[in-house]
C-alpha cells in the first residue's frame, strides 16, 4: 500500500510517500524528479494509494514525519530521523545514508562524502565527487535526508533539485551562515 500526504511548509507544499512503517519519499512542490519511480520507491503498485488526511492517520511513518517537520520548521533540531526506507541503486543508497549523517546546521562537500565512502571501501578506493553529486541529486527524501547541506568544495550552492533559493532558506533556518556560500556558475567544481 502507498500512503501519500501533503505538508504545508515555509518552502512550499511538501509531498510525502510512505509504505506504512517507513517514509520512502519527500518532495518539494515542483521539485525535479518529483515522484520519479514512486511505485518502486515505496514498493507498492501505484493504484494502491491512500491519500491526504487518511494517509497520515493510517501511516505511523507519516505521523512521525509530520512531527519531525513541525519541529524542523520551528527552527529547532528535530533530532532522530523518522523511520525511512529509500530505494535506489546500492551506490545511491550508500550516498543517501552518508548524507543522513550530516548534523543539523552543518555542511558537507561532495568531495568529502566521496572520501568518506572511499574510506569505507578501503584498499585505497577512489570515489568521484561528480558521481556523488548525481546520487545526491536523486535523493528521494529531501529535507529529512538533508541533501541541502551538501555544497561544492569552493562553497558553491551547487545543484539542489528543489531550487537554490529553497536550499538557502533551509540552510538559514538551520542557522548556517550563508554569506560565505555562492550561487554556482558554469563549470563550478564539486
Amino acid at each position: 500500500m502507498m500512503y501519500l500526504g501533503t505538508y504545508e511548509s515555509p518552502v512550499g507544499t511538501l509531498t510525502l510517500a510512505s509504505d506504512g512503517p517507513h517514509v520512502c519519499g519527500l518532495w518539494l512542490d515542483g521539485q525535479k524528479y518529483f515522484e520519479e519511480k514512486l511505485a518502486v520507491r515505496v514498493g507498492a503498485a501505484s493504484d494502491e494509494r491512500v491519500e491526504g488526511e487518511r494517509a497520515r492517520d493510517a501511516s505511523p511513518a507519516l505521523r512521525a514525519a509530520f512531527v519531525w517537520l513541525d519541529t524542523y520548521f520551528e527552527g529547532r533540531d528535530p533530532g532522530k530521523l523518522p523511520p525511512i526506507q529509500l530505494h535506489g541503486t546500492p551506490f545511491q543508497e550508500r550516498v543517501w545514508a552518508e548524507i543522513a549523517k550530516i548534523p543539523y546546521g552543518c555542511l558537507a562537500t561532495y568531495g568529502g562524502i566521496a572520501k568518506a565512502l572511499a574510506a569505507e571501501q578501503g584498499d585505497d578506493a577512489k570515489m568521484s565527487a561528480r558521481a556523488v553529486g548525481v546520487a545526491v541529486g536523486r535523493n528521494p527524501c529531501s529535507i529529512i535526508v538533508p541533501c541541502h547541506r551538501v555544497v561544492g568544495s569552493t562553497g558553491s550552492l551547487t545543484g539542489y533539485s528543489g531550487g537554490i533559493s529553497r536550499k538557502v532558506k533551509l540552510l538559514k533556518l538551520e542557522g548556517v551562515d550563508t554569506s560565505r556560500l555562492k550561487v554556482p556558475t558554469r563549470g563550478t567544481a564539486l
Side-chain angles (χ1 to χ4, degrees):
M1 183 69 65
M2 182 184 311
Y3 302 90
L4 295 174
T6 57
Y7 181 95
E8 295 304 323
S9 83
V11 293
T13 302
L14 308 178
T15 300
L16 291 89
S18 170
D19 62 3
H22 307 98
V23 175
C24 302
L26 185 157
W27 301 273
L28 294 103
D29 190 33
Q31 179 177 339
K32 192 175 180 184
Y33 310 121
F34 177 72
E35 289 192 60
E36 181 185 75
K37 300 179 184 176
L38 182 59
V40 172
R41 295 204 188 284
V42 178
S46 59
D47 59 346
E48 299 174 340
R49 291 183 179 209
V50 176
E51 298 187 37
E53 294 288 323
R54 284 185 34 229
R56 188 179 66 217
D57 293 341
S59 168
L62 287 185
R63 285 193 305 275
F66 276 59
V67 169
W68 190 95
L69 289 166
D70 286 343
T71 303
Y72 180 83
F73 285 114
E74 288 169 358
R76 297 182 293 129
D77 182 352
K80 184 180 175 197
L81 299 179
I84 58 174
Q85 184 168 17
L86 307 181
H87 301 280
T89 67
F91 177 73
Q92 287 173 330
E93 290 177 9
R94 286 179 51 224
V95 170
W96 301 334
E98 195 66 29
I99 294 168
K101 296 176 189 175
I102 304 169
Y104 179 89
C106 296
L107 300 176
T109 65
Y110 297 94
I113 292 170
K115 286 179 187 170
L117 292 174
E120 283 179 11
Q121 281 186 276
D123 297 328
D124 296 323
K126 301 274 187 217
M127 189 72 56
S128 162
R130 289 197 187 281
V132 167
V134 171
V136 169
R138 296 294 178 146
N139 172 17
C141 200
S142 291
I143 303 173
I144 292 174
V145 176
C147 54
H148 61 278
R149 296 180 190 153
V150 183
V151 299
S153 61
T154 62
S156 177
L157 294 166
T158 58
Y160 185 61
S161 58
I164 297 296
S165 63
R166 286 178 171 158
K167 183 171 187 165
V168 170
K169 193 168 189 173
L170 293 169
L171 292 174
K172 285 182 176 180
L173 178 77
E174 295 183 23
V176 173
D177 177 8
T178 59
S179 66
R180 60 186 177 86
L181 303 174
K182 53 191 175 242
V183 175
T185 57
R186 276 185 151 308
T188 301
L190 297 175

